[in-house]
């Protein structure tokens, strides 16, 4: 058998095969990154600079529309495609991307309903940067035992959210230390004295001037071993009130008579979304 030299067509064919899908968007994203000096690696940066750089790099990709929260409905594989390219370029930018479009935006579009969709354009253009507050200091992998509590006030039709103990502080929350205005907060949800399990509730954590919202305490987790462009923070809630409409209510809801209903029957069950 004769030896054959691999040709550039062969490499192109392998690349095409490995990329699997969304080839045009992947190529456009790679070309864009290759031609903008902001994506050239930078070392020995100050913490603040590293975080701003990750955000500005992400903002440029957002402005070009390489990823959209609406991809969850129209083209879910593009979410992965954009992550694969972003992850090759800057791990911090990739982490901020996944929290903004996947954990935060993905929760809003897939756990929320029509009444939450007004937030989605702000997810895509980064006007509304969000975070995903699941992990607590005492409850990482065992999140179902978390302590953050959301008590429903029937009269005002509001949730009152509290962090009852130090172990209940939301911990490691990406985007929360500096950039996020919104959080999807997971909390034990108490309605008429009964714990109805963990639900996801939209909570404003910073106002437009980026000052923390009333009752929200935010602590910066500072320098890490790696990925210092990711602004990780700790969150505490002190009697934070949010309207019932902020419940991401695709699977569990509270009607106009304050009756709760849910398709999730047991606290460790999941649902297909
Ligand atoms: C950079 C960074 C960003 C993050 N961003 C976010 C974010 O945006 N939002 C968010 O909610 N969280 C975030 N997290 C938190 C992350 O999701 C948690 O760290 C993760 O869920 C693990 O929780 P833990 O650190 O408390 O570890 P633990 O749950 O305490 O686990 C510690 C060790 O014990 C093992 N272990 C735990 N339970 C069991 C078990 N039952 N059986 C066997 N072994 C077990 C684990 O495998 C692990 O080795 C982030 C973390 C990091 C490091």
């Amino acid at each position: 058998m004769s030896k054959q030299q691999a040709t550039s067509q062969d490499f192109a064919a392998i690349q095409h095969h490995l990329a699997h899908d969304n080839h045009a968007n992947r190529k456009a994203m790679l070309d864009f990154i290759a031609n903008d000096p902001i994506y050239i690696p930078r070392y020995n940066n100050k913490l603040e600079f590293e975080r701003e750089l990750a955000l500005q790099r992400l903002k440029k990709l957002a402005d070009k529309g390489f990823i959209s929260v609406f991809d969850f409905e129209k083209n879910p594989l593009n979410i992965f495609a954009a992550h694969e390219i972003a992850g090759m370029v800057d791990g911090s930018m990739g982490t901020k991307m996944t929290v903004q479009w996947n954990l935060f935006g993905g929760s809003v579009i897939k756990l929320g309903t029509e009444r939450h969709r007004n937030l989605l354009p702000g997810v895509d253009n980064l006007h509304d940067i969000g975070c995903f507050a699941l992990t607590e200091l005492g409850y990482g992998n065992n999140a179902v035992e978390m302590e953050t509590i959301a008590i429903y006030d029937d009269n005002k039709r509001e949730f009152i959210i509290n962090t009852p103990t130090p172990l209940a502080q939301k911990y490691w929350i990406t985007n929360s230390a500096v950039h996020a205005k919104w959080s999807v907060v997971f909390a034990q949800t108490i309605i008429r004295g009964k714990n109805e399990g963990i639900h996801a509730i939209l909570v404003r954590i910073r106002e437009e001037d980026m000052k923390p919202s009333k009752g929200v305490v935010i602590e910066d987790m500072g320098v890490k071993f790696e990925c210092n462009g990711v602004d990780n923070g700790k969150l505490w809630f002190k009697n934070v009130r949010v309207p019932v409409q902020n419940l991401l209510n695709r699977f569990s809801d509270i009607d106009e008579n304050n009756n709760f209903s849910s398709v999730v029957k047991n606290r460790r069950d999941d649902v297909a979304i």
Side-chain angles (χ1 to χ4, degrees), residues 95 99 103 131-143 170-176 184 186 224 226-227 230 232:
T95 306
V99 172
L103 295 181
C131 60
F132 178 85
L134 178 74
T135 304
E136 297 178 6
L137 174 57
Y139 311 94
N141 287 293
N142 195 16
K170 296 292 182 184
Y171 215 75
W172 278 121
I173 308 305
T174 296
N175 285 348
S176 74
V184 171
F186 291 82
K224 305 185 288 290
E226 244 306 328
C227 275
V230 181
N232 290 103

